Amino acid sequence: GRRVALRNERRQAPSNEALPGPDSSDSGSGAAARVVVYCAQQGSHGIDVYSEAKKLKKMGDGKKLTFDIELQTTFGDFHRTMIDACKREVRMVHFMGHGGEGGGLFFWIKTSNPRESEHVEPELIAKAMQESFSRNVKGGSGGTIEACVLNKCSTIPLGEELRGRGLRHAVCWLGAVSDEVALEFSQWFYRFLEAHPGKYREAFKAGNLQVELLKKGRLNDGFRKPAGSVCLLSEAGDILPEGEEEETWEEAHDGQECASEEPGGGAGQASGVEEDGETRFLNNPKGEAELEAIEKLGFPLLLNGYKLTAGIRLFEANKIQEAQLGKYGLHALPARHGKKPLVGILPAAVKYLFADKKVASDAQITTYTSHQLWGDGGPLVRRS
């Protein structure tokens, strides 16, 4: 809240007074738009930028939006494509992956390790883009880039740097943003632009509306509200969130989809029960057998599009980190005595997957070990 308030005060005077005043419209060209999407991973963090990029690319039908996907982008690759942006008639730039301290971005380093990256400061990124802006502080107007979407955590500093150098519209995030929220926003943002080319401000509002609906829906279903407060810095006037506090990356990604565990033992963990083959965890012999039987009963075990059993397999294969288990409705206990970490299911995920809202007794289902889940009259017995 305090940071947003300070930014509002500072922006009472435009940061780029040398530019013409804001138009009443979005000031976009309205022409068919080529969007260049840059993807780069940071270290071993589990954001699947490639899957997200594919979802965006499917939205372009070649008439109004065309997406060029640049995978594993180095800063040199990025600079080269910015030099060629006018020739290719690029109107928008989109970044996905990880934001860094101070608002910079991570770019890939060409090594044998596909996840090795370097952090680049906002000033250098903005300098590499400036000459291709459709309008810039040097008075140039021969470029084509009208807008940039910084779909990464804590990107307000970079958005301000881009606006200060003349970019017309910059979409950025206050603090951390969950993967789910970032993808939801971008899909609706571009869906609107496909129908209304150049209407960046209205597209921002459409994307932000869906984000707010998503957050409300998660809370209504008993989950923790996903992190993410999106901002528009624009020559037509900034749109900033009101009363939002920044969240850390850990707060946004550790169990981001689900409510906190209940006191006295987490989901899938009965108080006082040891880690053995009889415990109702999901990745020991008993748990694996139970999940197989539950699926045969017709329970899809899908949480917001994420397959619970897929999350277990990915975690055990070290393809996702513990912080990413939350979006699958899972959590892990620390390994003991050299054993592998055992995986349980979060309370909100249990209620989401098994409780029938039409059945009053199902409201008492709070954990995977609840008698109301497994006992007579419970969802499993009813389905069987």
Side-chain angles (χ1 to χ4, degrees), residues 55 76 90 104 129 132 187 221 233 308 312 322 326 371:
K55 290 177 181 177
V90 174
M129 296 178 65
S132 295
Q187 287 183 312
D221 286 340
L233 310 183
L308 184 145
I312 296 171
E322 186 172 337
H371 174 73

Side-chain angles (χ1 to χ4, degrees), residues 92 298 362 379-380:
M92 297 187 65
D362 283 8
L380 300 178

Side-chain angles (χ1 to χ4, degrees), residues 21 76 81 171 273 337 340:
T81 53
V171 175
V273 179
H337 311 301
K340 67 180 182 181

